Amino acid sequence: MATKNTILPILTLFSMFLPLAISIDFNYPAVFNFGDSNSDTGELTVGLGFFLDPPNGQNYFKTSTGRFCDGRLIIDFLMDEMDLPFLNAYLDSIGLPNFRKGCNFAAAGSTIRPSTPTSVSPFSFGVQVAQFLRFKSRVLELLPKGKKLVKYLPEEDYFEKGLYMFDIGQNDLAGAFYSKSLDQILASIPAILVEFETGIQKLYDQGARNFWIHNTGPLGCLPQNVAKFGTDPSQLDELGCVSQHNQASKLFNLQLHALCRKLQGQFSDANVTYVDIFTIKYNLIANYSRYGFEQPIMACCGFGGPPLNYDSRVSCGQTKILNGTSVTAKGCPDSTEYVSWDGIHYTEAANQYVSSQILTGKYSDPPFSDKMPFLLNLKF
């Protein structure tokens, strides 16, 4: 789409004139990722043993890969720009997964706080950190046993030199709205971030020194939340997003940013980078037509038609009997026109836009524009 292709050279030129920073070096040998569906490359599907129905994966991979998307995620674009392969899910045992350049522990539905019997995912942040500790221990045990394994496993110093990425927290907030008031949710944020800090501290104690932390996006703009909590127009903002959900996102992000600042001072020998995903995504929804999109909130793959094309009873790709009639949540003809893929997750086109904005460096604290040589040669 012309409008999307033209913005990238502009971003490239803009990046040349950003102020220099002394933050981080993006020449990482490996990436270890923790999170939820925003960066899950197959962990939940293999972990729970289910198949994610087409048309998920239809655009780039041409098949379902366990990603809740029509194609690539933000992490896929970032890995590509760092000249690193897409990350394999930690639990994926089929197809000779290669973990030499990193490993992905992110699982859709995961929360920072411990999971409960009703949680979508049992792989909460604490479990993901524990999986990493097991992964590292096993790697260090296997490395001395022969050269055949080396090409599949990270070298020992990769655990110190690697980049640790985090995109988690939205499910702690979004899920809470089904049973708690806004005040209760806001009051719970400090405890959520204590849990997050505990996990970060464990990784630091294991030698992690490069931390890349995404804040949470505008939850109130997800069609799922608009459908459930936005039936009263007075609850919506000027963009048609649920105000209370975005208020919770903003307060969470404010406190997460403060935690990152604290860690920047506390871990004097580490790099802690906070990335403002909320601003990037909200700007996309507010100015969608400027970036070549036609639908800022309506889901591409769903059921029910305008204005949201979202029905919580029928997930993308599924066929269900509703009121005696068989219905299917189908994909739209051109997902590049949509910001939302399935009412909860973003399309590949939207993920591409978000990635291009991340790579300008201006949405990060500290900024990092001078540390990313690939900025001058964006591949997407």
Side-chain angles (χ1 to χ4, degrees):
M1 197 186 290
T3 50
K4 289 190 182 114
N5 293 333
T6 54
I7 192 172
L8 295 175
I10 296 173
L11 292 173
T12 299
L13 288 173
F14 176 74
S15 70
M16 295 181 185
F17 300 102
L18 288 173
L20 296 181
I22 53 172
S23 51
I24 46 181
D25 182 357
F26 269 77
N27 187 26
Y28 297 111
V31 172
F32 305 101
N33 184 70
F34 306 81
D36 52 34
S37 56
N38 286 327
S39 58
D40 180 357
T41 56
E43 183 79 350
L44 188 71
T45 56
V46 298
L48 299 186
F50 71 90
F51 185 73
L52 192 61
D53 299 304
N56 287 287
Q58 68 178 11
N59 279 0
Y60 182 81
F61 299 100
K62 308 302 181 184
T63 186
S64 178
T65 62
R67 291 165 172 81
F68 289 76
C69 184
D70 56 324
R72 288 163 289 183
L73 307 176
I74 293 170
I75 191 172
D76 294 318
F77 287 110
L78 297 181
M79 293 297 292
D80 199 33
E81 290 307 313
M82 286 189 277
D83 284 324
L84 294 173
F86 295 158
L87 290 177
N88 284 308
Y90 169 63
L91 294 177
D92 195 358
S93 58
I94 304 299
L96 294 178
N98 192 318
F99 298 110
R100 181 160 179 79
K101 296 295 185 179
C103 185
N104 194 1
F105 302 90
S110 294
T111 52
I112 292 175
R113 302 191 82 172
S115 60
T116 68
T118 59
S119 296
V120 172
S121 166
F123 307 113
S124 63
F125 182 55
V127 173
Q128 292 180 28
V129 171
Q131 288 176 329
F132 168 80
L133 299 181
R134 161 74 170 137
F135 174 81
K136 180 183 176 184
S137 174
R138 186 69 172 141
V139 167
L140 298 183
E141 179 185 328
L142 291 173
L143 282 177
K145 294 190 175 181
K147 294 183 178 179
K148 288 184 178 180
L149 294 173
V150 171
K151 62 181 179 180
Y152 297 103
L153 303 175
E155 295 180 20
E156 182 172 358
D157 64 346
Y158 286 12
F159 291 105
E160 180 179 347
K161 296 177 180 178
L163 178 63
Y164 292 74
M165 298 181 70
F166 308 86
D167 192 326
I168 193 167
Q170 72 170 27
N171 292 317
D172 294 86
L173 302 178
F177 273 97
Y178 288 84
S179 60
K180 296 180 180 179
S181 68
L182 176 62
D183 287 342
Q184 289 174 318
I185 294 169
L186 299 183
S188 73
I189 291 174
I192 295 172
L193 291 179
V194 166
E195 192 80 27
F196 184 69
E197 183 178 4
T198 298
I200 295 290
Q201 182 68 55
K202 287 181 179 178
L203 295 171
Y204 177 83
D205 292 342
Q206 283 288 318
R209 291 297 181 268
N210 302 299
F211 300 92
W212 172 278
I213 300 170
H214 287 182
N215 71 10
T216 200
L219 299 177
C221 299
L222 299 178
Q224 179 190 55
N225 293 328
V226 177
K228 175 68 176 178
F229 300 97
T231 53
D232 180 354
S234 69
Q235 299 298 314
L236 304 177
D237 67 11
E238 65 276 8
L239 299 186
C241 304
V242 186
S243 299
Q244 288 195 349
H245 281 64
N246 282 352
Q247 186 179 341
S249 297
K250 290 176 181 178
L251 185 62
F252 176 87
N253 291 339
L254 190 67
Q255 294 186 38
L256 177 64
H257 195 181
L259 173 59
C260 289
R261 287 283 183 90
K262 172 188 170 184
L263 295 174
Q264 287 166 0
Q266 184 175 320
F267 300 158
S268 59
D269 60 340
N271 299 302
V272 180
T273 301
Y274 170 86
V275 187
D276 186 7
I277 298 296
F278 183 100
T279 296
I280 297 174
K281 288 183 173 179
Y282 196 77
N283 179 59
L284 168 59
I285 292 166
N287 302 287
Y288 64 94
S289 59
R290 182 187 305 174
Y291 305 119
F293 293 88
E294 297 183 12
Q295 298 293 343
I297 293 182
M298 186 168 74
C300 166
C301 185
F303 170 74
L308 297 175
N309 194 36
Y310 179 82
D311 190 315
S312 62
R313 298 171 294 178
V314 193
S315 299
C316 175
Q318 290 187 344
T319 298
K320 294 283 184 70
I321 303 295
L322 298 184
N323 302 321
T325 303
S326 178
V327 301
T328 302
K330 299 179 180 179
C332 57
D334 184 1
S335 60
T336 65
E337 297 177 352
Y338 289 70
V339 171
S340 177
W341 166 238
D342 59 3
I344 306 172
H345 310 98
Y346 284 58
T347 60
E348 178 184 76
N351 288 333
Q352 175 182 324
Y353 168 80
V354 174
S355 303
S356 71
Q357 292 294 289
I358 291 172
L359 293 173
T360 66
K362 66 178 181 175
Y363 294 97
S364 293
D365 177 24
F368 53 83
S369 59
D370 66 314
K371 299 294 183 179
M372 303 180 76
F374 51 79
L375 264 179
L376 304 182
N377 186 30
L378 288 174
K379 299 175 183 176
F380 52 83

